[in-house]
């Protein structure tokens, strides 16, 4: 397969100029180390900030708090100074920062700020018992920084920080495990936070302020909303269940609309899986398991529902286009999904 | 042997190349359309998330049908294990039948459904083999040796037919395990050569795949070969890794090592542990082999941990700071240095970067984020330092 370009040229599909360009670039291919170096940088930042944190923690008694605080503050200040000096000016659209290194200086600065703020609270109780205030300050800073320098990593940290302030963990691996969804207060908090995040993201997108951030907002919000709604569904009983289930359906509908608009199958899939979990729960709790014949019914339920969903997934373009504009041909605009 | 339409596979590759050329500004949009038009690909290839969804629901469907078949057998009151084995066998056949049908007639190509069918067919077949072997009254390790060899063989045939990446990986791993079990059962000498057997098997697989596969097969089984090569590189390292060899020798050979004592040929293993990762990185850079390079980078970390485990020179936090500073320094230097391409290397962002960026943001959020505590009371306890994800307990 070395000579793809050559055979295309011989078949007359590519003209000579293009062929020469391609064979020129292929005779001397460049090997990009972009992601390898970026990973090394990330590891370096992780190691250095962690190691630094440990050293500080071990030597609190000997170095003296002011000295440590001053050192952290100076380092943090240097990072931010560099960023403000080197960074591109703010724009509503995407901003491309010149060097890869830039993002990591920014990240280090933010992490040091977190250390600094935690330290002064731990040592001097600057915020006293107003822990909420202490938690919200880095979040506000991170939101500002992420918008100022157009950085979705920091935005993700800001969103998780906001959730932490509300008492919820929404980092991907801990969403289900770290939260105690058996209490209704957590569920309602999560619902409010999810709606707030998606609304805020939507409004900002409508205004054209960093519209590419919308995806990150919605990604956190959908998982949070679906998981908390499912928790609500599992906890509720009787007629209340159907209210929760109706809410899942509403969320799923919103997801489908969003998926269609963004041409992102990811959100359709999320909606489908969470809704299916809810539906299965409703089905399983609403039938009487004492009867032996019901076990068969359960098997039939899984087989029939999954076969139906697979049919829908494979033919979803045809089905959706029939539903929305009967008479017209299948919509092929989403083909790359 | 391969089930897919070979012309389409070639055309698919051409289209992918055209996509890359377009991304790099070598061809115009018109050229790309012309290439796509003249190189038809009839496969059903949904995108990643769609395929994942299809895979997910097909898996549930297959589990439910398996359960359904078991229920049918139970209901007939033939409570012989034999009946279950027959039904299990029929189930595997049915899976392969549908896999054939979907791949051949409907031209599914890694669409999720077909992968799930192939995996379910292979898995239930192998499970059945083990069941029958255990049933036959052999209860020593012979079962594992025979079963793993058969499994490896089955996976090989399935890989040849469907070119499935996961099955190819299973082929390599089950072959390796079979060999290790075999050595482990050949007395003291067998046990002693386990590291070398693992190394020779891995290196042999790698060399055969690299140099003894025809260009045509290399093209058709590209992904399968890539994953088997990656697995071979890793297992070659693990086979002779000092930590693995030492700890396993202590367990398997009932060695009692006193302070200062070493395992036989310990120095050779230590040398290999130190030498292999840089060798991978060097060869990876020399041949521009990204898999080898990345595995080498990963294994450098493993080697550092191995050496630190036995010969700790610096306290961990100092090592972390020095290591972190070195990493940042090296990558900073290289990023500056490669801004204008040097020696065929560059730091140009590639086609794939949008998805990576989002993944990176999630990883950053996962490792560095603050976790709320139940009552916020001890939020700024010892754990708040540096948001050092893994080190919250310090």
């Amino acid at each position: 397969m070395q000579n793809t370009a050559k055979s295309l040229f011989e078949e007359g599909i590519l003209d000579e100029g293009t062929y020469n360009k391609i064979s020129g670039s292929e005779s001397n291919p460049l090997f990009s180390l972009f992601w390898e170096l970026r990973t090394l940088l990330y590891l370096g930042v992780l190691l250095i900030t962690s190691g630094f944190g440990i050293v500080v923690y071990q030597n609190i008694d000997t170095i003296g708090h002011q000295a440590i605080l001053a050192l952290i503050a100076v380092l943090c200040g240097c990072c931010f100074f560099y960023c403000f000096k080197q960074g591109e000016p703010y724009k509503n659209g995407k901003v491309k920062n010149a060097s890869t290194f830039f993002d990591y200086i920014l990240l280090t600065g933010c992490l040091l700020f977190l250390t600094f703020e935690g330290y002064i609270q731990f040592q001097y109780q600057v915020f006293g018992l107003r822990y909420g205030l202490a938690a919200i300050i880095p979040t506000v800073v991170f939101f500002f920084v992420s918008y100022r320098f157009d950085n979705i990593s920091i935005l993700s940290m800001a969103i998780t920080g906001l959730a932490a302030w509300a008492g919820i963990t929404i980092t991907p691996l801990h969403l289900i495990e770290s939260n105690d969804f058996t209490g209704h207060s957590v569920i309602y908090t999560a619902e409010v936070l999810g709606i707030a995040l998606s609304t805020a993201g939507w409004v900002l997108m409508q205004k054209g302020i960093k519209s590419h951030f919308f995806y990150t907002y919605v990604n956190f919000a959908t998982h949070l909303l679906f998981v908390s709604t499912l928790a609500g569904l599992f906890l509720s009983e009787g007629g209340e269940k159907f209210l929760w289930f109706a809410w899942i359906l509403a969320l799923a509908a919103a997801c489908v609309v969003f998926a269609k608009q963004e041409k992102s199958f990811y959100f359709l899939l999320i909606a489908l899986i969470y809704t299916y979990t809810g539906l299965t729960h409703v089905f399983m709790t609403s039938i009487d398991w004492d009867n032996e014949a019901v076990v068969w019914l359960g098997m039939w339920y899984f087989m029939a529902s999954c076969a139906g969903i697979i049919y829908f997934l494979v033919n979803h373009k045809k089905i959706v286009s029939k539903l929305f504009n009967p008479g017209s041909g299948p919509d092929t605009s989403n083909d790359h999904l | 042997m391969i089930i897919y339409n070979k012309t389409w596979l070639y055309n698919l590759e051409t289209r992918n190349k055209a996509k890359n050329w377009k991304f790099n500004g070598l061809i115009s949009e018109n050229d790309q359309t012309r290439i796509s038009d003249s190189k038809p690909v009839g496969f059903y290839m949904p995108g990643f998330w769609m395929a994942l969804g299809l895979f997910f629901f097909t898996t549930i469907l297959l589990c439910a049908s398996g359960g359904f078949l078991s229920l049918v057998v139970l209901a007939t009151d033939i409570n012989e294990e034999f009946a279950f084995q027959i039904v299990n066998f029929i189930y595997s056949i049915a899976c392969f039948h549908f896999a054939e049908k979907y791949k051949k007639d409907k031209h599914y190509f890694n669409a999720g459904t077909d992968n799930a069918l192939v995996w379910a067919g292979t898995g239930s077949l192998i499970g059945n083999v083990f069941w029958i072997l255990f049933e036959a009254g052999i209860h020593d390790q012979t079962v594992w040796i025979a079963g793993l060899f058969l499994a490896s063989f089955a996976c090989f045939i399935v890989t040849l037919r469907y070119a499935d990446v996961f099955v190819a990986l299973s082929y390599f791993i089950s072959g390796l395990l079979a060999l290790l079990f075999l050595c482990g059962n050949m007395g003291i000498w067998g046990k002693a050569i386990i590291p070398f057997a693992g190394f020779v098997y891995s290196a042999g697989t790698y060399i055969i795949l690299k140099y003894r596969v025809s260009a045509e097969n290399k093209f058709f089984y590209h992904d399968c070969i890539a994953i088997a090569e990656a697995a071979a590189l890793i297992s070659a390292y693990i086979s002779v890794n000092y930590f693995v060899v030492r700890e396993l020798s202590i367990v398997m050979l009932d060695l009692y090592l006193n302070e200062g004592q070493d395992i036989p040929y310990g120095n050779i293993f230590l040398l290999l542990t130190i030498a292999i990762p840089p060798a991978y990185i060097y060869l990876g850079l020399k041949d521009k082999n990204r898999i080898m390079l990345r595995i080498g980078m990963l294994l450098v970390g493993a080697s550092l941990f191995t050496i630190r485990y036995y010969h700790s020179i610096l306290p961990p936090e100092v090592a972390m700071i020095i290591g972190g500073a070195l990493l940042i320094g090296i990558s900073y230097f290289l990023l500056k240095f490669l801004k204008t391409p040097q020696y065929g290397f560059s730091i140009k962002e590639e086609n794939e970067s949008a998805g990576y960026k989002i993944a990176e943001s999630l990883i950053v959020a996962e490792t560095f984020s603050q976790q709320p505590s139940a009552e916020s009371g001890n939020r700024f306890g010892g754990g708040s330092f540096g948001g050092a994800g893994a080190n919250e307990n310090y």
Side-chain angles (χ1 to χ4, degrees):
Chain A
M1 289 305 289
Q2 284 304 318
N3 298 320
T4 313
K6 196 172 183 197
S7 60
L8 283 174
F9 170 57
E10 279 159 3
E11 288 168 41
I13 299 166
L14 290 178
D15 56 47
E16 193 166 359
T18 320
Y19 166 62
N20 286 337
K21 250 205 294 189
I22 293 171
S23 57
S25 87
E26 284 189 348
S27 68
N28 187 18
L30 280 179
F31 188 75
S32 170
L33 294 173
F34 182 75
W35 284 105
E36 283 78 6
L37 292 177
R38 224 178 145 87
T39 312
L40 286 186
L41 263 182
Y42 167 79
L43 277 178
V45 170
L46 181 72
L47 280 177
I48 229 171
T49 48
S50 311
F52 202 66
I54 300 167
V55 168
V56 166
Y57 188 62
Q58 285 175 341
N59 295 300
I60 283 179
D61 304 329
T62 49
I63 309 177
H65 300 295
Q66 276 93 351
I68 295 174
L69 271 173
L71 184 62
I72 299 176
V74 166
L75 284 177
C76 177
C78 287
C79 290
F80 281 122
F81 179 73
Y82 172 87
C83 293
F84 276 100
K85 200 150 178 288
Q86 298 285 322
E88 302 287 318
Y90 176 81
K91 277 208 304 240
N92 273 345
K94 271 193 187 178
V95 175
K96 182 121 185 60
N97 281 312
S99 85
T100 317
F101 208 55
F102 185 87
D103 291 345
Y104 285 88
I105 300 266
L106 193 63
L107 181 62
T108 313
C110 287
L111 293 175
L112 286 172
F113 179 76
L114 207 58
T115 312
F116 180 77
E117 204 248 3
Y119 200 135
I120 53 172
Q121 167 66 3
F122 177 66
Q123 195 55 42
Y124 302 108
Q125 280 84 39
V126 179
F127 305 103
L129 293 172
R130 284 163 294 171
Y131 296 111
L133 183 66
I136 201 75
I137 286 176
T139 305
V140 172
V141 171
F142 290 172
F143 269 118
F144 170 73
V145 168
S146 63
Y147 274 86
R148 172 65 185 77
F149 297 110
D150 192 11
N151 188 315
I152 45 171
S153 295
I154 311 276
L155 179 71
S156 302
M157 279 171 64
I159 293 174
T160 49
L162 182 66
W165 171 73
I168 304 170
T169 307
I170 52 172
T171 60
L173 296 180
H174 293 97
L175 176 57
I176 296 179
E177 159 202 328
S178 297
N179 292 314
D180 178 20
F181 276 116
T182 50
H184 275 283
S185 72
V186 174
I187 293 174
Y188 292 130
T189 317
E191 295 278 342
V192 171
L193 186 65
I195 294 171
L197 278 178
S198 43
T199 318
W202 188 75
V203 168
L204 287 169
M205 186 189 66
Q206 289 297 313
K207 300 207 159 178
I209 302 171
K210 300 281 180 206
S211 28
H212 56 288
F213 279 6
F214 186 45
Y215 183 91
T216 305
Y217 280 106
V218 173
N219 193 19
F220 279 111
T222 31
H223 285 289
L224 189 62
L225 280 172
F226 271 119
V227 168
S228 59
T229 311
L230 279 180
L233 178 70
F234 294 165
L235 285 182
S236 60
E237 274 172 35
E240 215 187 313
K241 261 195 179 355
F242 290 95
L243 275 179
W244 282 107
F245 189 64
W247 178 228
I248 289 189
L249 289 180
L251 289 176
C255 245
V256 170
V257 171
F258 177 67
K260 193 145 172 57
Q261 180 199 330
E262 289 281 293
K263 300 198 192 323
S264 162
F265 193 82
Y266 170 65
F267 287 100
L268 190 55
L269 180 66
I270 292 174
L272 200 59
I273 289 179
Y274 282 120
T275 314
Y276 185 68
T277 313
L279 179 71
T280 307
H281 173 81
V282 170
F283 177 79
M284 289 296 162
T285 46
S286 57
I287 52 178
D288 175 17
W289 285 99
D290 291 340
N291 192 340
E292 208 171 278
V294 165
V295 179
W296 294 87
L297 188 65
M299 289 296 168
W300 279 111
Y301 164 78
F302 278 113
M303 292 201 291
S305 58
C306 286
I309 290 172
I310 292 167
Y311 180 80
F312 168 75
L313 285 178
V314 173
N315 299 300
H316 74 281
K317 274 173 220 153
K318 264 186 258 167
I319 296 172
V320 168
S321 72
K322 249 184 207 161
L323 280 179
F324 285 110
N325 5 282
S328 71
D331 169 22
T332 49
S333 60
N334 289 7
D335 256 355
H336 63 285
L337 303 180
Chain B
M1 191 64 197
I2 199 165
I3 192 168
Y4 308 107
N5 181 326
K6 292 185 180 177
T7 318
W8 288 354
L9 286 177
Y10 280 120
N11 290 352
L12 186 64
E13 173 69 10
T14 308
R15 279 184 176 194
N16 286 339
K17 282 202 169 169
K19 210 189 271 170
N20 253 326
W21 293 334
K22 174 82 197 10
F23 180 81
N24 290 319
L26 292 167
I27 58 173
S28 64
E29 187 116 29
N30 270 341
D31 289 328
Q32 199 190 359
T33 329
R34 223 169 26 245
I35 291 172
S36 298
D37 288 346
S38 63
K39 301 285 172 195
V41 175
F43 291 128
Y44 174 62
M45 294 193 306
F48 173 77
W49 295 108
M50 174 78 159
L52 192 70
L54 283 172
F55 177 78
F56 180 79
F57 287 106
T58 312
T59 309
I60 300 180
L61 176 62
L62 285 169
C63 290
S65 359
F68 182 75
L69 282 176
S70 314
L71 276 183
V72 172
V73 178
L74 277 178
T76 53
D77 284 337
I78 318 172
N79 276 330
E80 298 280 336
E81 295 213 4
F82 186 59
F84 281 104
Q85 284 160 3
I86 297 270
V87 170
N88 196 343
F89 191 64
I90 294 172
Y91 180 77
S92 316
I93 300 278
C95 284
F96 282 121
H97 168 75
F98 281 109
E100 287 277 316
K101 195 170 151 234
Y102 274 105
K103 286 196 186 255
K104 204 165 194 166
D105 303 340
K106 301 198 164 188
H107 307 299
Y108 277 43
F109 184 72
N110 289 336
T113 302
D114 52 338
N115 300 72
L117 282 166
V118 169
W119 296 1
T122 319
S124 61
L125 190 66
I126 291 171
N128 216 3
V129 166
F130 275 105
W131 193 353
I132 292 171
L133 283 174
F134 275 116
E135 217 26 43
I138 319 168
H139 286 290
D140 55 15
Q141 298 216 331
T142 328
V143 173
W144 292 102
I145 299 171
L148 284 166
F149 267 120
L150 286 173
S152 170
F153 180 69
C155 288
F156 184 66
I157 301 290
V158 171
T159 307
L160 282 186
R161 178 79 177 144
Y162 301 109
D164 189 290
V165 175
F166 182 75
V167 180
L169 183 63
S170 314
Y171 156 68
F172 177 79
I173 292 174
S174 51
L176 178 67
L177 288 179
L179 185 69
L180 297 186
F181 268 105
L182 187 66
C183 289
N185 275 291
M186 292 204 310
I188 187 88
W189 282 107
K191 279 181 187 164
I193 61 161
I194 281 184
F196 302 103
F199 185 77
V200 168
Y201 174 82
S202 313
T205 309
Y206 187 82
I207 288 167
I208 289 173
L209 289 177
K210 193 98 197 156
Y211 300 108
R212 287 275 173 272
V213 179
S214 70
E216 197 191 26
N217 281 334
K218 251 191 190 163
F219 173 71
F220 289 141
Y221 299 103
H222 178 269
D223 295 344
C224 301
I225 290 176
I227 197 143
E229 282 181 356
L233 288 175
I234 293 173
S235 75
Y237 172 79
I238 293 176
S239 313
V240 293
N241 175 282
Y242 184 74
F243 174 81
V244 175
V245 174
R246 184 182 167 118
E247 301 305 313
L248 277 184
S249 313
I250 291 173
V251 175
M252 292 182 69
L253 298 171
D254 296 325
L255 281 182
Y256 292 100
L257 296 177
N258 294 323
E259 192 74 24
Q261 263 186 326
D262 203 354
I263 49 169
Y265 304 111
N267 286 333
I268 294 181
F269 292 118
L270 202 55
L271 189 71
L272 286 172
T273 306
I274 298 170
I276 288 179
Y280 283 178
I281 293 180
Y282 171 73
L283 290 174
L285 288 174
K286 188 169 144 271
D287 302 342
K288 308 216 162 151
N289 181 339
R290 198 174 293 281
I291 296 175
M292 206 168 196
L293 173 65
R294 286 187 176 175
I295 288 174
M297 285 166 64
L298 198 73
L299 295 183
V300 166
S303 283
L304 286 179
F305 276 112
T306 304
I307 293 164
R308 271 197 61 81
Y309 189 82
Y310 298 104
H311 306 279
S312 180
I313 307 165
L314 293 168
E317 63 277 5
V318 179
M320 280 163 91
I321 292 178
I322 294 176
L326 267 179
L327 282 179
I328 293 180
I330 292 172
S331 39
Y332 178 72
F333 170 73
L334 286 175
L335 283 170
K336 277 262 144 94
F337 181 64
L338 295 176
K339 212 155 210 179
T340 47
Q342 308 273 355
Y343 308 112
F345 296 103
S346 75
I347 49 162
K348 197 171 159 307
E349 267 184 77
E350 279 161 4
N351 219 339
E352 50 194 357
S353 79
Y356 273 82
K357 276 256 166 70
I358 288 169
E360 185 191 60
S361 77
L362 290 178
I363 291 171
V364 167
E366 183 68 51
T367 40
F368 291 125
S369 281
Q370 0 170 5
Q371 304 261 333
S373 58
E375 281 309 312
S376 306
N378 51 3
R379 196 175 98 66
F380 288 115
S384 66
F385 284 99
N391 298 298
E392 277 169 339
N393 297 330
Y394 280 99

